[in-house]
Structures are given as C-alpha cells and as structure tokens.
C-alpha cells in the first residue's frame, strides 16, 4: 500500500550534461540552480531560502555555499541524465513514465522538406516554399515550420490563422506531417495574429526558420487552439497505464495532465503554481491507500523562458513550501514523494531556450533511517521505474527504466 507523488519542477536543472554544448557552445556553462542561487545572493545579499529542498538533499546533488550539504530527512538523493535527445518537456515527461525516446531525432525541417512536401502533396494539398526559405506554405495559408520556442530541431509546428482556416484543417495537415516526422512533437496551432503570418517569420538558432508565435499575437489575441502530436508511443508500457491497469488510482496535475494524457487517469490541468499545488494536495487527501499522482510545477519553466531569475526563484520558493505540506500528507511506510525535473531552463545563460542539464532525483521514504546517495541515473525513465516498483508493479513492463530503489522488503542490491 503506497501513495506515490512525482512532483516535476519544470526546467529545474542542476548542471550541464557533457553534450549540452552540441546545440549551443555556451550551454556548457548551464546551471539553472547554481545561477539562481548566485543571482539571488547578488541581488539581495541573502541566500535563497529553500529549507525543504535542502532537507531533501538538494545540496548533496548540487554542492553550493548557500545550500546545506547534508539532508535532514530520510531520503535517497541523486541526479538523472535526461535519457532523450535535446531538452523538451514532452519528451522529458514521456521518458520519465517509461517511454523509450532515445530514438527520437533532433532535426531541422530544412533537412526533411522533400519528404514532408511529398507527404502533403500525396494527401492532395498544394505546397510551396515561403520566398525560397526552408518552410512550407500549404494551400497558400498554413505554415509548416520549425518551432522557435523549444530547442532547435526538437519540435515542428503547423500554424494557421483561424479566420482563414478552421482548426480541423490545421490539425489534419499536422497529422500528415506527423506521419513522416522524426521529431518529438508536431504541434498544430491556430490563432488570431496581428497581421499576415509571413510577416512574423524569422530565423532561429542553428539554421531553423519559423513563425515567431509570441510576436504574432497568437498568445494574446484570444481563441488560441493547440494540439500536440507526439512521436508514436506504446501507451501500454507507460507508468500511468500500467498503474491504472493494475487497479491503482492515477491523477495527473498541471502540465502533466496535458503531456501525459491517459484515459484512465483523473486529469487536472492548471498553470498557476498555487493552483497546481492545491490540486496536488487535494489529490493526496482523497487518494486511496495505493495511488499514483504526477504533478508539474510549470511556472519555473515559464520564468526561465522569460529569462526572469527573480520570478523563477519566487516560484521555486512556492514549490518548496508546497513540498513541506506534502510531507505532512505522505507519512506512512511505503509512501514516496519524488522530486525531479524534466530538463534545465537557465534564466541567466543568455537565451530563452531549455538547457540540457542533469535534473535532481530526491526521494523521501518515511520508513527509512538516514539518507542514501544514489548513483547518477542514465535516464529519467529510472524515476518511473522506481515509482512502479514502489507501487508493487513490474518495472520491466515499462518501455524503459531501472528502479533506483528496491521496494520495502525487497532484495538486496540497491538502497531501500
């Protein structure tokens, strides 16, 4: 009987992975947590207070003068490599619940224009380049382009004006693109812009070209319609479906409700941190003896995209306080509160994209004595496998991942 909460602090990196500089050389210095602590100290003259995360062992994962070096809770402490290419919320969450995203490609649309255009023509649609640039105009109205908000080559978008094309048409085109795409997501976007879409097309990093969606007015003019089409997944081998199939109550909160959509789960989408935490508290309070809750604190990631370190620090303090409340609700032997991230988003690195960083893996175990240091996990899938084992499920039934802890009463080999 275990209640498992996985709290994902979106964009919460703890230092660059060895290949972080492949996309941008400057990202070799990425360190979301370290730079937040340094920025707060420089701006205020004081340390950023994160008492619960320190008690969880954050300073053991990321040594820093402003963090306690030793956990004060019964925790298992480590970090995880991402286990998927690039740095992306969708791929991060899918990997975390056991999907194998290691073969998803990071690719510019420019390198696949021929096959995408051929698929669209085979579906009966007319395509052309926009002024000779490497993005497609379908039917003279709808753009197929690189996503400029995520890391270069992680996602492609299909964007159209809703006054020109119904969203169903935009989505149908996106499905054709998805059928030949190798990237993690193809995102269908319909909205109302401040002018013709081609006036908001710009060059991105590493040869990408796309619609500058924030500048277009889509996000502020109302009526925005969005649908994410992810890479093909074997949903039967993801943690939410595996748990639900075994009779476990499953709740998805915040952005997790969007990116981990599961028919058998109670989905509670939200963006504001106070609402996300409140929904998480409610889910724990009403949870039966055995339950899985996956919750995402998104506003840290949004602050990273806005390059707003003070806001990021403030949201992190809210998340820290929420963790303190969750500890009081998850106090029975076998309960687990797992704190992690999905990628980095360093707000002071000099750009507004995700950063390819390790993420913390902090696991509270009420029945344990002291703390254990975990080896660096090779993939976020190990977090999902650990949760599966704690629920009494066979982690081997997931698409990927190895438990970092053995369940209470389990065999030797890894910390309890």
């Amino acid at each position: 009987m275990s209640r498992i909460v996985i709290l994902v602090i979106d964009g919460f990196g703890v230092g660059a992975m060895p290949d972080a500089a492949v996309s941008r050389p400057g990202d070799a210095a990425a360190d979301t947590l370290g730079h937040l602590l340094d920025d707060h100290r420089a701006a205020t003259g004081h340390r950023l207070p994160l008492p619960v995360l320190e008690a969880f062992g954050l300073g053991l994962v990321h040594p820093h003068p402003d963090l306690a070096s030793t956990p004060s809770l019964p925790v298992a402490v480590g970090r995880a490599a991402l286990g998927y290419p690039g740095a992306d919320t969708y791929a991060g969450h899918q990997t975390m619940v056991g999907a194998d995203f290691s073969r998803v490609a990071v690719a510019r649309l420019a390198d696949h224009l021929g096959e995408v255009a051929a698929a669209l023509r085979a579906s009966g649609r007319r395509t052309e380049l926009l002024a000779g640039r490497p993005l497609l105009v379908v039917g003279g109205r709808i753009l197929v382009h690189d996503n400029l908000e995520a890391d270069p080559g992680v996602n492609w978008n299909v964007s159209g004006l809703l006054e020109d094309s119904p969203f169903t048409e935009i989505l149908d085109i996106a499905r054709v693109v998805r059928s030949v795409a190798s990237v993690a997501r193809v995102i269908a976007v319909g909205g109302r812009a401040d002018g013709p879409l081609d006036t908001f097309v710009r060059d991105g990093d590493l040869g990408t070209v796309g619609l500058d969606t924030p500048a277009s007015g889509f996000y502020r003019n109302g009526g925005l319609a969005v649908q994410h089409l992810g890479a093909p997944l074997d949903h039967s081998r993801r943690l939410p479906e595996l748990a639900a199939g075994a009779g476990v109550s499953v709740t998805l909160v915040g952005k997790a409700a969007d990116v981990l959509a599961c028919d058998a789960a109670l989905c509670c989408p939200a963006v504001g941190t106070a609402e996300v935490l409140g929904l998480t508290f409610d889910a724990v309070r009403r949870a039966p003896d055995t339950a899985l809750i996956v919750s995402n604190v998104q506003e840290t990631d949004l602050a990273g995209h806005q390059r707003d370190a003070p806001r990021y620090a403030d949201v992190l303090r809210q998340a820290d306080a929420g963790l303190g409340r969750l500890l009081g609700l998850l106090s029975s032997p076998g309960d687990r509160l797992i704190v992690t991230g999905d990628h980095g988003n360093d707000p002071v690195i000099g750009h507004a994209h995700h950063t390819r960083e390790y993420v913390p893996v902090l696991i509270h175990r009420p029945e344990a004595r002291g703390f254990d240091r975990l080896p660096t996990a090779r993939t976020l899938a190990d977090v999902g496998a650990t949760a599966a084992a704690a629920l009494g499920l066979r982690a081997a039934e997931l698409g990927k991942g190895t438990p970092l802890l053995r369940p209470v009463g389990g065999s030797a080999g890894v910390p309890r």
Side-chain angles (χ1 to χ4, degrees):
M1 298 196 305
S2 300
R3 296 172 300 165
I4 310 299
V5 176
I6 303 175
L7 184 73
V8 183
I9 301 177
D10 208 309
F12 192 35
V14 291
M17 289 178 55
D19 59 354
V22 170
S23 295
R24 287 177 292 270
D27 281 10
D31 183 358
T32 300
L33 174 60
H35 289 156
L36 281 171
L37 296 171
D38 293 342
D39 181 86
H40 188 82
R41 169 72 71 174
T44 68
H46 304 289
R47 65 197 295 269
L48 176 62
L50 300 171
V52 183
L53 284 166
E54 288 186 70
F56 263 83
L58 188 60
L60 193 60
V61 175
H62 187 297
H64 190 279
D66 285 348
L67 292 175
S69 59
T70 304
S72 59
L73 290 170
V75 290
V77 181
R79 65 177 187 173
L82 300 185
Y84 65 89
D88 177 63
T89 294
Y90 180 83
H93 282 68
Q94 299 297 346
T95 299
M96 190 181 300
V97 297
D100 186 353
F101 260 59
S102 61
R103 292 183 294 276
V104 171
V106 175
R108 300 179 307 165
L109 179 62
D111 298 327
H112 297 271
L113 279 173
E115 61 196 282
V116 174
L120 289 165
R121 288 195 297 270
S123 72
R125 294 175 171 89
R126 174 173 56 89
T127 68
E128 58 190 329
L129 297 178
L130 178 64
R133 305 178 82 179
L135 76 166
L136 296 171
V137 184
V138 183
R141 306 184 310 278
I142 296 170
L143 301 183
V144 180
H145 59 93
D146 292 303
N147 179 303
L148 302 185
E149 295 173 82
D151 255 13
V154 170
N155 304 318
W156 299 343
N157 280 23
V158 177
S159 303
L161 295 172
L162 293 176
E163 58 262 37
D164 295 337
S165 309
F167 185 66
T168 52
E169 181 182 2
I170 298 168
L171 183 58
D172 284 345
I173 292 170
R175 288 181 173 131
V176 175
V177 175
R178 173 73 274 174
S179 71
V180 295
S182 59
V183 294
R185 276 184 290 176
V186 173
I187 307 173
V189 185
R192 299 183 176 90
D194 296 333
L197 289 187
D198 59 0
T199 62
F200 301 103
V201 169
R202 66 172 177 83
D203 295 334
D205 293 338
L206 302 178
T208 56
V209 180
L211 178 71
D212 186 337
T213 306
S216 74
F218 270 19
Y219 293 156
R220 63 176 179 272
N221 289 336
L224 183 68
V226 179
Q227 188 161 332
H228 299 259
L229 305 179
L233 297 173
D234 183 351
H235 284 262
S236 69
R237 303 193 69 187
R238 299 192 318 165
L239 178 61
E241 286 84 358
L242 183 64
V248 175
S249 167
V250 178
T251 304
L252 305 174
V253 179
K255 196 172 184 179
D258 298 321
V259 297
L260 296 178
C262 170
D263 291 341
L266 174 63
C267 291
C268 305
V271 175
T273 302
E275 184 179 4
V276 167
L277 292 172
L279 289 168
T280 306
F281 303 147
D282 290 344
V284 175
R285 290 189 189 100
R286 66 170 177 263
D289 290 337
T290 304
L292 170 68
I293 300 162
V294 184
S295 182
N296 175 285
V297 174
Q298 184 182 357
E299 287 190 307
T300 42
D301 188 54
L302 298 179
H305 285 307
Q306 293 164 349
R307 300 166 68 177
D308 189 340
R311 183 188 176 203
Y312 194 126
D314 183 61
V315 177
L316 195 56
R317 290 179 65 177
Q318 293 180 58
D320 187 86
L323 285 170
R325 289 185 62 187
L326 284 172
L327 282 174
L329 299 174
L330 295 163
S331 56
S332 300
D335 286 349
R336 297 287 181 267
L337 176 52
I338 304 173
V339 182
T340 189
D342 51 352
H343 49 72
N345 198 338
D346 190 332
V348 303
I349 198 66
H351 58 74
H353 297 298
H354 294 159
T355 42
R356 187 164 167 80
E357 299 180 53
Y358 293 101
V359 296
V361 180
L362 314 174
I363 307 172
H364 180 252
R365 309 159 299 166
E367 74 284 349
R369 296 181 179 179
F371 67 88
D372 286 298
R373 183 70 184 262
L374 298 171
T376 296
R378 292 181 295 176
T379 170
L380 273 169
D382 292 351
V383 173
T386 301
L391 288 165
L393 306 174
R394 292 187 66 247
E397 294 184 22
L398 297 172
K400 195 169 187 179
T402 302
L404 299 168
L405 297 170
R406 69 178 185 267
V408 176
S411 59
V414 291
R416 287 186 186 273

